[in-house]
Coordinates of all heavy atoms in Angstrom, one line a residue:
M1 N 46.7 74.1 149.0 CA 46.8 75.2 148.1 C 45.4 75.4 147.5 O 44.6 74.5 147.3 CB 47.8 75.0 147.0 CG 48.2 76.1 146.2 SD 49.1 77.3 147.3 CE 49.1 78.7 146.2
A2 N 45.0 76.7 147.2 CA 43.7 77.0 146.6 C 43.6 76.5 145.2 O 44.6 76.4 144.5 CB 43.5 78.5 146.7
E3 N 42.4 76.1 144.8 CA 42.2 75.7 143.5 C 42.2 76.8 142.5 O 41.8 77.9 142.8 CB 40.8 75.1 143.5 CG 40.4 74.2 142.3 CD 39.1 73.6 142.4 OE1 38.8 73.0 143.5 OE2 38.3 73.7 141.5
R4 N 42.7 76.5 141.3 CA 42.8 77.6 140.2 C 41.4 77.9 139.8 O 40.6 77.1 139.7 CB 43.7 77.1 139.1 CG 45.1 76.8 139.4 CD 46.0 78.0 139.5 NE 46.0 78.8 138.3 CZ 46.5 80.1 138.3 NH1 46.9 80.6 139.4 NH2 46.5 80.7 137.2
V5 N 41.2 79.2 139.4 CA 39.9 79.6 138.9 C 40.0 79.7 137.4 O 40.9 80.3 136.9 CB 39.6 81.0 139.5 CG1 38.3 81.6 139.0 CG2 39.5 81.0 141.0
N6 N 39.0 79.1 136.8 CA 38.9 79.2 135.3 C 38.0 80.4 135.0 O 36.8 80.3 135.0 CB 38.3 77.9 134.8 CG 38.3 77.8 133.2 OD1 38.5 78.9 132.6 ND2 38.2 76.7 132.7
K7 N 38.7 81.4 134.6 CA 38.0 82.7 134.3 C 37.0 82.6 133.2 O 35.9 83.2 133.2 CB 39.1 83.7 133.9 CG 38.6 85.2 133.8 CD 39.8 86.1 133.6 CE 39.5 87.4 133.1 NZ 40.6 88.3 132.9
A8 N 37.3 81.7 132.2 CA 36.4 81.6 131.0 C 35.0 80.9 131.4 O 34.0 81.2 130.9 CB 37.0 80.7 129.9
K9 N 35.1 80.0 132.4 CA 33.9 79.3 132.8 C 33.0 80.1 133.9 O 31.9 79.8 134.1 CB 34.2 78.0 133.4 CG 34.7 77.0 132.4 CD 34.9 75.6 133.0 CE 35.3 74.6 132.0 NZ 35.5 73.3 132.6
M10 N 33.6 81.1 134.5 CA 32.9 81.9 135.5 C 31.9 82.9 134.9 O 32.1 83.4 133.8 CB 33.8 82.7 136.4 CG 34.6 81.8 137.4 SD 35.6 82.8 138.4 CE 34.3 83.5 139.5
A11 N 30.7 83.0 135.5 CA 29.7 84.0 135.1 C 30.2 85.4 135.6 O 30.8 85.5 136.6 CB 28.4 83.7 135.6
C12 N 29.8 86.4 134.8 CA 30.2 87.8 135.2 C 29.4 88.2 136.4 O 28.2 88.0 136.5 CB 29.9 88.7 134.0 SG 31.2 88.8 132.8
N13 N 30.0 88.9 137.3 CA 29.4 89.6 138.5 C 28.6 88.6 139.4 O 27.6 89.1 139.9 CB 28.6 90.8 138.0 CG 29.4 91.7 137.2 OD1 30.6 92.0 137.6 ND2 28.9 92.3 136.2
K14 N 29.0 87.4 139.5 CA 28.3 86.4 140.4 C 29.3 85.9 141.4 O 30.1 85.0 141.1 CB 27.8 85.2 139.6 CG 26.7 85.6 138.5 CD 25.4 85.7 139.1 CE 24.4 85.9 138.0 NZ 23.3 86.8 138.4
P15 N 29.3 86.4 142.6 CA 30.3 86.0 143.6 C 30.1 84.6 144.0 O 29.0 84.1 144.1 CB 30.1 86.9 144.8 CG 29.0 87.8 144.4 CD 28.5 87.5 143.1
K16 N 31.2 83.9 144.3 CA 31.2 82.5 144.8 C 32.0 82.4 146.1 O 33.0 83.0 146.2 CB 31.8 81.5 143.7 CG 31.0 81.3 142.5 CD 31.5 80.3 141.5 CE 32.8 79.7 141.8 NZ 33.3 78.8 140.8
R17 N 31.5 81.5 147.0 CA 32.3 81.2 148.2 C 33.6 80.4 147.8 O 33.5 79.6 146.8 CB 31.5 80.3 149.1 CG 30.3 81.0 149.7 CD 30.5 81.6 151.1 NE 31.0 80.7 152.1 CZ 32.0 81.0 152.9 NH1 32.7 82.1 152.7 NH2 32.4 80.1 153.8
T18 N 34.6 80.6 148.5 CA 35.9 79.8 148.3 C 36.3 79.3 149.7 O 37.3 79.8 150.3 CB 37.0 80.7 147.7 OG1 37.2 81.8 148.5 CG2 36.7 81.1 146.3
P19 N 35.7 78.2 150.1 CA 36.0 77.7 151.4 C 37.3 77.1 151.6 O 37.9 77.0 152.7 CB 34.9 76.6 151.7 CG 34.4 76.3 150.3 CD 34.6 77.5 149.5
K20 N 38.0 76.6 150.5 CA 39.3 76.0 150.6 C 40.4 77.0 150.4 O 41.6 76.7 150.5 CB 39.4 74.9 149.5 CG 38.5 73.8 149.8 CD 38.7 72.6 148.9 CE 37.8 71.5 149.3 NZ 37.9 70.3 148.4
H21 N 40.1 78.3 150.1 CA 41.2 79.3 149.9 C 41.7 79.7 151.3 O 40.9 79.8 152.3 CB 40.6 80.5 149.2 CG 41.7 81.5 148.8 ND1 42.2 82.4 149.6 CD2 42.3 81.5 147.6 CE1 43.2 83.1 148.9 NE2 43.3 82.6 147.7
P22 N 43.0 79.8 151.5 CA 43.6 80.0 152.8 C 43.2 81.4 153.4 O 43.1 81.5 154.7 CB 45.1 79.9 152.6 CG 45.3 80.0 151.2 CD 44.0 79.6 150.5
T23 N 43.0 82.4 152.6 CA 42.8 83.7 153.2 C 41.5 84.4 152.8 O 41.0 85.2 153.6 CB 44.0 84.7 152.9 OG1 44.2 84.7 151.5 CG2 45.3 84.2 153.6
K24 N 41.0 84.2 151.6 CA 39.9 84.9 151.1 C 38.6 84.1 151.0 O 38.7 82.9 150.6 CB 40.2 85.5 149.7 CG 41.4 86.5 149.7 CD 41.1 87.7 150.6 CE 42.2 88.6 150.7 NZ 42.0 89.7 151.7
S25 N 37.5 84.7 151.4 CA 36.3 83.9 151.5 C 35.4 83.8 150.2 O 34.6 82.9 150.1 CB 35.4 84.4 152.6 OG 35.0 85.8 152.3
H26 N 35.6 84.8 149.3 CA 34.8 84.8 148.1 C 35.7 85.2 146.8 O 36.8 85.8 147.0 CB 33.7 85.9 148.2 CG 32.7 85.5 149.1 ND1 32.8 85.7 150.5 CD2 31.4 85.1 148.9 CE1 31.7 85.3 151.1 NE2 30.8 85.0 150.2
V27 N 35.2 84.8 145.7 CA 35.8 85.2 144.4 C 34.7 85.6 143.4 O 33.6 85.1 143.5 CB 36.7 84.0 143.8 CG1 35.9 82.8 143.4 CG2 37.5 84.5 142.6
V28 N 35.0 86.5 142.6 CA 34.0 87.0 141.6 C 34.8 87.4 140.3 O 35.9 87.8 140.4 CB 33.2 88.2 142.1 CG1 34.1 89.4 142.3 CG2 32.0 88.5 141.2
K29 N 34.2 87.2 139.2 CA 34.7 87.7 137.9 C 34.0 89.0 137.6 O 32.8 89.0 137.3 CB 34.5 86.7 136.7 CG 35.0 87.2 135.4 CD 35.1 86.1 134.3 CE 33.9 86.3 133.4 NZ 34.0 85.3 132.3
A30 N 34.6 90.1 137.9 CA 34.0 91.4 137.7 C 34.1 91.8 136.2 O 35.2 91.7 135.6 CB 34.7 92.4 138.6
C31 N 33.0 92.2 135.7 CA 33.0 92.6 134.3 C 32.3 94.0 134.2 O 31.2 94.2 134.7 CB 32.1 91.6 133.5 SG 32.7 89.9 133.5
E32 N 33.1 94.9 133.5 CA 32.5 96.3 133.4 C 33.3 96.9 132.2 O 34.5 96.9 132.2 CB 32.8 97.0 134.7 CG 32.1 98.4 134.8 CD 32.2 99.0 136.1 OE1 33.4 99.3 136.5 OE2 31.2 99.3 136.7
G33 N 32.5 97.5 131.3 CA 33.1 98.2 130.2 C 33.9 97.4 129.3 O 34.9 97.8 128.8
G34 N 33.6 96.1 129.1 CA 34.3 95.2 128.3 C 35.6 94.6 128.9 O 36.3 93.9 128.2
K35 N 35.8 94.9 130.2 CA 37.0 94.4 130.9 C 36.6 93.3 131.8 O 35.5 93.4 132.4 CB 37.8 95.5 131.6 CG 38.4 96.5 130.7 CD 39.2 97.5 131.5 CE 39.9 98.5 130.6 NZ 40.7 99.4 131.4
E36 N 37.4 92.3 132.0 CA 37.1 91.2 133.0 C 38.3 91.2 134.0 O 39.4 91.4 133.6 CB 37.0 89.9 132.3 CG 35.9 89.8 131.4 CD 35.8 88.4 130.7 OE1 36.8 87.7 130.7 OE2 34.8 88.1 130.0
K37 N 38.0 90.9 135.2 CA 39.0 90.8 136.3 C 38.6 89.9 137.4 O 37.4 89.9 137.8 CB 39.2 92.2 136.8 CG 40.3 92.4 137.9 CD 40.4 93.9 138.2 CE 41.3 94.1 139.3 NZ 41.3 95.6 139.7
I38 N 39.5 89.0 137.8 CA 39.2 88.1 138.9 C 39.5 88.8 140.2 O 40.6 89.3 140.3 CB 40.0 86.8 138.8 CG1 39.6 86.0 137.6 CG2 39.9 86.0 140.1 CD1 38.2 85.4 137.6
I39 N 38.6 88.9 141.1 CA 38.8 89.6 142.4 C 38.5 88.6 143.5 O 37.4 88.0 143.5 CB 37.8 90.8 142.5 CG1 38.2 91.8 141.4 CG2 38.0 91.4 143.9 CD1 37.3 93.0 141.3
R40 N 39.4 88.5 144.4 CA 39.2 87.7 145.6 C 39.0 88.7 146.8 O 39.7 89.7 146.9 CB 40.4 86.8 146.0 CG 40.6 85.7 145.0 CD 41.7 84.8 145.4 NE 41.9 83.7 144.4 CZ 41.2 82.6 144.3 NH1 40.2 82.4 145.1 NH2 41.5 81.8 143.4
F41 N 38.0 88.5 147.6 CA 37.7 89.4 148.7 C 37.1 88.7 149.9 O 36.7 87.6 149.8 CB 36.7 90.5 148.2 CG 35.3 89.9 147.8 CD1 34.3 89.9 148.7 CD2 35.1 89.4 146.5 CE1 33.1 89.4 148.4 CE2 33.9 88.9 146.2 CZ 32.9 88.9 147.1
G42 N 37.1 89.4 151.0 CA 36.5 88.9 152.3 C 37.5 88.1 153.1 O 38.2 87.2 152.5
Q43 N 37.6 88.3 154.3 CA 38.4 87.6 155.2 C 37.8 86.2 155.5 O 36.6 86.1 155.9 CB 38.7 88.3 156.5 CG 39.7 87.7 157.5 CD 39.9 88.5 158.7 OE1 39.5 89.7 158.8 NE2 40.5 88.0 159.7
Q44 N 38.6 85.2 155.4 CA 38.1 83.8 155.6 C 37.8 83.6 157.1 O 38.6 84.0 158.0 CB 39.2 82.8 155.2 CG 38.8 81.4 155.1 CD 37.8 81.1 154.0 OE1 36.6 81.2 154.1 NE2 38.3 80.7 152.8
G45 N 36.7 83.0 157.4 CA 36.4 82.7 158.8 C 35.9 83.8 159.7 O 35.9 83.6 160.9
V46 N 35.5 84.9 159.2 CA 35.0 86.0 160.0 C 33.6 85.7 160.5 O 32.8 85.3 159.7 CB 35.1 87.3 159.3 CG1 34.4 88.4 160.0 CG2 36.5 87.7 158.9
S47 N 33.4 85.9 161.8 CA 32.0 85.7 162.3 C 31.5 87.1 162.7 O 32.2 88.0 163.1 CB 32.0 84.8 163.5 OG 32.7 85.3 164.5
G48 N 30.2 87.3 162.6 CA 29.6 88.5 163.0 C 29.4 89.6 161.9 O 28.7 90.6 162.2
A49 N 30.0 89.4 160.7 CA 29.8 90.3 159.7 C 28.4 90.0 159.1 O 28.0 88.9 158.9 CB 30.8 90.2 158.6
G50 N 27.6 91.1 158.8 CA 26.3 90.8 158.3 C 25.5 92.0 157.9 O 25.9 93.1 158.4
K51 N 24.5 91.9 157.2 CA 23.7 93.0 156.7 C 22.7 93.5 157.8 O 22.2 94.6 157.7 CB 22.9 92.6 155.4 CG 23.8 92.2 154.3 CD 23.1 92.4 153.0 CE 24.0 92.1 151.8 NZ 24.9 93.2 151.5
N52 N 22.4 92.6 158.8 CA 21.4 93.0 159.8 C 22.0 92.8 161.2 O 21.6 91.8 161.9 CB 20.1 92.2 159.6 CG 19.0 92.8 160.4 OD1 19.1 93.9 161.0 ND2 17.9 92.1 160.5
P53 N 23.0 93.6 161.6 CA 23.6 93.4 162.9 C 22.6 93.5 164.1 O 21.8 94.4 164.0 CB 24.7 94.4 163.0 CG 24.3 95.5 162.0 CD 23.5 94.8 161.0
K54 N 22.7 92.7 165.1 CA 21.8 92.7 166.2 C 22.3 93.5 167.4 O 21.5 94.1 168.1 CB 21.5 91.2 166.6 CG 20.7 90.5 165.6 CD 20.7 89.0 165.8 CE 19.9 88.2 164.7 NZ 20.4 88.5 163.4
T55 N 23.6 93.5 167.6 CA 24.2 94.2 168.7 C 24.7 95.6 168.3 O 24.9 95.9 167.1 CB 25.4 93.4 169.3 OG1 26.4 93.4 168.4 CG2 24.9 92.0 169.7
E56 N 24.9 96.4 169.3 CA 25.5 97.8 169.1 C 26.9 97.6 168.5 O 27.3 98.4 167.7 CB 25.5 98.6 170.3 CG 24.1 99.0 170.8 CD 23.4 99.8 169.7 OE1 24.0 100.8 169.1 OE2 22.2 99.6 169.4
A57 N 27.7 96.7 169.0 CA 29.0 96.4 168.5 C 29.0 96.0 167.1 O 29.9 96.5 166.3 CB 29.7 95.4 169.4
G58 N 28.1 95.2 166.7 CA 27.9 94.8 165.3 C 27.6 95.9 164.4 O 28.1 96.1 163.3
K59 N 26.7 96.8 164.9 CA 26.3 98.0 164.1 C 27.5 98.9 163.9 O 27.7 99.5 162.9 CB 25.1 98.7 164.8 CG 23.8 97.9 164.7 CD 22.7 98.6 165.5 CE 21.5 97.8 165.5 NZ 20.4 98.3 166.3
A60 N 28.3 99.1 165.0 CA 29.5 99.9 164.9 C 30.5 99.4 164.0 O 31.1 100.1 163.2 CB 30.1 100.1 166.3
R61 N 30.7 98.0 164.0 CA 31.6 97.4 163.0 C 31.2 97.7 161.6 O 32.0 98.0 160.7 CB 31.6 95.9 163.2 CG 32.5 95.4 164.4 CD 32.5 93.9 164.5 NE 33.2 93.3 163.3 CZ 32.9 92.1 162.9 NH1 32.0 91.3 163.5 NH2 33.5 91.6 161.9
R62 N 29.9 97.5 161.3 CA 29.4 97.7 160.0 C 29.6 99.2 159.5 O 30.0 99.4 158.4 CB 27.9 97.4 159.9 CG 27.2 97.4 158.6 CD 25.8 96.9 158.7 NE 25.3 96.6 157.4 CZ 24.5 97.4 156.7 NH1 24.1 98.6 157.3 NH2 24.0 97.1 155.5
K63 N 29.2 100.1 160.4 CA 29.4 101.5 160.1 C 30.9 101.9 159.9 O 31.2 102.6 158.9 CB 28.8 102.3 161.3 CG 28.8 103.8 161.0 CD 28.2 104.5 162.2 CE 28.2 106.0 162.0 NZ 27.7 106.8 163.1
S64 N 31.8 101.3 160.7 CA 33.2 101.6 160.5 C 33.7 101.0 159.2 O 34.5 101.7 158.5 CB 34.0 101.0 161.7 OG 33.7 101.6 162.9
F65 N 33.3 99.8 158.8 CA 33.7 99.2 157.6 C 33.3 100.1 156.4 O 34.1 100.5 155.5 CB 33.1 97.8 157.4 CG 33.5 97.2 156.0 CD1 34.7 96.6 155.8 CD2 32.7 97.4 154.9 CE1 35.0 96.0 154.6 CE2 33.0 96.9 153.7 CZ 34.2 96.2 153.5
K66 N 32.1 100.5 156.4 CA 31.6 101.3 155.3 C 32.3 102.7 155.2 O 32.6 103.2 154.2 CB 30.0 101.5 155.4 CG 29.3 100.2 155.1 CD 27.9 100.3 155.1 CE 27.2 99.1 154.8 NZ 27.1 98.8 153.4
A67 N 32.5 103.3 156.4 CA 33.2 104.6 156.4 C 34.7 104.4 156.0 O 35.2 105.3 155.2 CB 33.2 105.2 157.8
R68 N 35.4 103.4 156.4 CA 36.8 103.2 156.1 C 37.0 102.9 154.7 O 38.0 103.3 154.1 CB 37.3 102.0 157.0 CG 38.7 101.7 156.9 CD 39.2 100.8 158.0 NE 38.5 99.5 158.0 CZ 37.7 99.0 158.9 NH1 37.3 99.7 159.9 NH2 37.2 97.8 158.8
H69 N 36.0 102.2 154.0 CA 36.2 101.8 152.6 C 35.4 102.5 151.6 O 35.3 102.1 150.5 CB 35.9 100.3 152.5 CG 36.9 99.4 153.3 ND1 38.2 99.2 152.9 CD2 36.7 98.8 154.5 CE1 38.8 98.4 153.8 NE2 37.9 98.2 154.8
A70 N 34.7 103.6 152.1 CA 33.8 104.3 151.2 C 34.4 104.8 149.9 O 33.7 104.6 148.8 CB 33.2 105.6 151.9
K71 N 35.6 105.2 149.9 CA 36.2 105.7 148.7 C 36.4 104.5 147.7 O 36.2 104.7 146.5 CB 37.6 106.3 149.0 CG 38.2 107.1 147.8 CD 39.5 107.7 148.2 CE 39.3 109.1 148.8 NZ 40.6 109.8 149.0
N72 N 36.9 103.4 148.2 CA 37.1 102.2 147.4 C 35.8 101.5 146.9 O 35.7 101.0 145.8 CB 38.0 101.2 148.1 CG 39.4 101.7 148.3 OD1 39.9 102.3 147.4 ND2 40.0 101.3 149.4
I73 N 34.7 101.6 147.8 CA 33.4 101.0 147.4 C 32.9 101.8 146.2 O 32.3 101.3 145.3 CB 32.5 101.1 148.6 CG1 32.9 100.1 149.7 CG2 31.0 100.8 148.1 CD1 32.2 100.2 151.0
A74 N 33.1 103.1 146.2 CA 32.6 104.0 145.2 C 33.3 103.8 143.8 O 32.8 104.2 142.8 CB 32.8 105.5 145.6
K75 N 34.4 103.1 143.8 CA 35.1 102.8 142.5 C 34.3 101.8 141.7 O 34.6 101.7 140.5 CB 36.5 102.2 142.8 CG 37.5 103.2 143.4 CD 38.8 102.6 143.6 CE 39.8 103.6 144.2 NZ 41.1 103.1 144.5
G76 N 33.4 101.1 142.2 CA 32.5 100.2 141.5 C 32.9 98.8 141.4 O 33.7 98.3 142.2
K77 N 32.4 98.1 140.4 CA 32.5 96.6 140.4 C 33.9 96.1 140.2 O 34.2 94.9 140.5 CB 31.7 96.1 139.2 CG 30.2 96.2 139.4 CD 29.4 95.7 138.3 CE 27.9 95.8 138.5 NZ 27.2 95.4 137.3
M78 N 34.9 96.9 139.8 CA 36.2 96.4 139.7 C 37.1 96.5 140.9 O 38.3 96.3 140.9 CB 36.9 97.2 138.5 CG 36.2 97.1 137.2 SD 36.0 95.4 136.7 CE 37.2 95.2 135.5
S79 N 36.4 96.8 142.1 CA 37.2 96.8 143.3 C 36.7 95.8 144.3 O 35.5 95.4 144.4 CB 37.0 98.2 144.0 OG 35.8 98.4 144.6
A80 N 37.6 95.2 145.1 CA 37.3 94.2 146.1 C 36.4 94.8 147.2 O 35.5 94.1 147.7 CB 38.5 93.7 146.7
A81 N 36.5 96.1 147.5 CA 35.7 96.7 148.6 C 34.3 96.8 148.2 O 33.4 96.6 149.0 CB 36.2 98.1 148.8
Y82 N 34.0 97.0 146.9 CA 32.6 97.0 146.4 C 31.9 95.7 146.6 O 30.8 95.6 147.1 CB 32.6 97.3 144.9 CG 31.3 97.1 144.2 CD1 30.3 98.2 144.2 CD2 30.9 95.9 143.6 CE1 29.1 98.0 143.6 CE2 29.7 95.8 143.0 CZ 28.8 96.8 143.0 OH 27.5 96.6 142.4
W83 N 32.7 94.6 146.3 CA 32.1 93.2 146.4 C 32.0 92.8 147.9 O 31.0 92.2 148.3 CB 32.9 92.2 145.6 CG 32.7 92.5 144.2 CD1 33.5 93.0 143.3 CD2 31.5 92.2 143.4 NE1 33.0 93.1 142.1 CE2 31.7 92.6 142.1 CE3 30.3 91.6 143.7 CZ2 30.8 92.4 141.1 CZ3 29.3 91.4 142.8 CH2 29.6 91.9 141.5
A84 N 32.9 93.2 148.7 CA 32.9 92.9 150.1 C 31.7 93.6 150.8 O 30.9 93.0 151.6 CB 34.1 93.3 150.9
N85 N 31.5 94.8 150.4 CA 30.3 95.6 150.9 C 29.0 95.0 150.4 O 28.1 94.9 151.2 CB 30.4 97.1 150.3 CG 29.3 97.9 150.8 OD1 29.0 98.1 152.0 ND2 28.6 98.5 149.9
K86 N 28.9 94.6 149.2 CA 27.7 94.0 148.6 C 27.4 92.6 149.2 O 26.2 92.4 149.6 CB 27.9 93.9 147.1 CG 26.6 93.5 146.4 CD 26.9 93.5 144.9 CE 25.8 92.8 144.2 NZ 24.9 93.6 143.4
V87 N 28.4 91.8 149.4 CA 28.2 90.4 149.8 C 28.2 90.2 151.3 O 27.4 89.6 151.9 CB 29.2 89.5 149.1 CG1 29.1 88.1 149.6 CG2 29.0 89.5 147.6
K88 N 29.2 90.8 151.9 CA 29.4 90.5 153.3 C 28.8 91.5 154.3 O 28.5 91.2 155.4 CB 30.9 90.4 153.6 CG 31.6 89.2 152.8 CD 32.9 88.8 153.4 CE 32.7 88.0 154.6 NZ 33.6 87.0 154.8
W89 N 28.7 92.8 153.9 CA 28.2 93.8 154.8 C 26.8 94.3 154.4 O 26.2 95.0 155.0 CB 29.2 94.9 154.9 CG 30.5 94.5 155.5 CD1 31.6 94.1 154.9 CD2 30.8 94.5 156.9 NE1 32.6 93.8 155.8 CE2 32.1 94.0 157.0 CE3 30.0 94.7 158.1 CZ2 32.7 93.8 158.3 CZ3 30.7 94.5 159.3 CH2 32.0 94.1 159.4

């Protein structure tokens, strides 16, 4: 089972890897407008996701992710899509 996250000890807006979590690869304490929220994001064990894709297939995956999640990415720091875009893509 995944380890519990201590929200009080986490720094705001600093994503951390969660290698022992069964499904999500990262966790972040999102802080915006006086609100705090724990967000888990990213698929565990995915290979090939990256900011600088080398193959055409990798470039297409990146472009598709950004197009598919554009509306959620635009919601800002309180959405998992924003953090996945920032950290993984």
Side-chain angles (χ1 to χ4, degrees):
M1 192 69 192
E3 194 176 311
R4 297 284 299 164
V5 176
N6 188 343
K7 189 172 164 182
K9 288 186 179 179
M10 285 184 74
C12 279
N13 302 323
K14 298 277 187 216
K16 288 186 350 182
R17 294 259 310 127
T18 54
K20 293 185 179 178
H21 194 274
T23 57
K24 298 299 176 187
S25 65
H26 291 76
V27 64
V28 66
K29 179 169 100 174
C31 302
E32 190 172 61
K35 292 184 178 180
E36 296 178 349
K37 182 177 175 183
I38 294 292
I39 297 174
R40 292 188 183 277
F41 64 93
Q43 186 177 348
Q44 193 70 273
V46 171
S47 63
K51 297 207 178 280
N52 193 10
K54 291 165 183 55
T55 65
E56 289 302 314
K59 289 176 184 174
R61 280 182 65 206
R62 184 172 195 263
K63 185 177 177 182
S64 293
F65 176 87
K66 289 182 177 281
R68 186 168 60 248
H69 297 287
K71 192 180 273 190
N72 292 323
I73 291 168
K75 289 180 182 178
K77 292 180 180 176
M78 300 306 257
S79 76
Y82 170 87
W83 290 104
N85 181 55
K86 184 176 169 110
V87 175
K88 298 199 78 147
W89 294 95

